[in-house]
Each structure stands twice: as structure tokens, then as C-alpha cells.
Amino acid sequence: MTKKMVNGVPVDMDPAEAAEFEGQRALTLPKAKQQARDLIGLRRDRAETGGFAYLTARYPSDGNSLARISILGERARTAKAASLPFVVSLIAMDDSMSNFNANELIALEVAAGDHFAACSENAKVLRLAVNAAADLAAVAAVDLEVGWP
């Protein structure tokens, strides 16, 4: 019998209360799909901010790092358009340091954008799989850890 607490004492629920309580706890297909979509969003966020690969290193992809890359990318394009020299040093996630000329820095910026596009695409694929699930088992069968860059 299902119990509830009344004034700190466990008391049996009547059948109607127990049915209502259990019904609220039951995982329905819409609830399962929403939970999976929420987990996909969290996993996408983790992939987006977990760094991105460029050449032989991984570079940080948190908001501050991306702002720096964007600003430096604009400076690289400006220098390139004016035929001015451009070199900047950046530190990768493994603490190695690399020098970038204008073309390399622009390519790094593109790699960051490609990383975000890949994260978004993978989230879309997983959401489509979850949304297409016909039952709880099909929702549970969607591997939310697959396909992230």
C-alpha cells in the first residue's frame, strides 16, 4: 500500500489518492521526450564549451575565448586587407602556444564556427530521433552521447 506522511506519521493512502499519486509519477511518452530534449540541450552546451579542434590542438570555446578569437579575426582581416603583417600567439587547452598569421587566425575562427555548427547539427539529429520515437523504449534507445565533436 502507498503511504503518505501526516504530521510526521506514515499513513496509508486510500486507493484514489494512491492512483493519483502514481499517475503523476508515471513517465509518459511526452514527458520522456521532453526530458531527452532537455538532456540534448545540456549535452550540446557541454560540447560547445568543451573546446574545438584546429590542426593539432584543441582551443577553448567558452564565451570569453570566442570573443577574443572573434576580435583577433577582425584584426587579422583588417591587416590582410591593408597588406600589413599580422602575428598573434594563442594558448591551446593543453597549454601549448602557437603563433598565427592572418590567414591562420581566420581559419581558426572558421574552425570555431564549424565546431558550433557541428554541435547544432548533432543536437538536431538527436532531437529528430527523440521526436520520432513511438514509445518509451524508443526514446530510451536514443544514445544522447553519440555524434558530438
Side-chain angles (χ1 to χ4, degrees):
M1 167 100 9
T2 305
K3 302 228 181 246
K4 65 181 178 182
M5 297 297 283
V6 176
N7 296 325
V9 178
V11 177
D12 290 336
M13 288 185 186
D14 66 47
E17 285 179 310
E20 181 181 353
F21 177 75
E22 293 300 331
Q24 291 173 357
R25 290 182 37 191
L27 184 61
T28 64
L29 184 58
K31 283 182 187 177
K33 287 182 177 186
Q34 186 58 56
Q35 288 176 359
R37 288 190 296 265
D38 291 346
L39 290 172
I40 291 167
L42 292 171
R43 183 61 181 90
R44 182 195 61 230
D45 292 345
R46 200 168 80 231
E48 286 177 347
T49 60
F52 66 97
Y54 177 69
L55 298 177
T56 60
R58 287 191 68 77
Y59 291 88
S61 58
D62 59 278
N64 290 336
S65 297
L66 293 173
R68 284 184 204 102
I69 291 169
S70 179
I71 291 166
L72 291 170
E74 187 58 34
R75 286 190 60 213
R77 284 186 288 283
T78 301
K80 188 174 172 180
S83 297
L84 296 173
F86 178 89
V87 176
V88 65
S89 295
L90 293 177
I91 299 171
M93 292 176 74
D94 65 359
D95 208 33
S96 63
M97 186 177 291
S98 299
N99 292 325
F100 292 85
N101 65 29
N103 289 332
E104 293 165 338
L105 198 288
I106 292 167
L108 177 74
E109 190 178 33
V110 169
D114 290 347
H115 172 75
F116 281 89
C119 291
S120 181
E121 181 62 25
N122 193 58
K124 181 181 87 173
V125 167
L126 293 174
R127 287 176 69 89
L128 288 171
V130 165
N131 290 340
D135 55 34
L136 293 173
V139 173
V142 178
D143 185 352
L144 304 182
E145 292 298 318
V146 72
W148 298 105

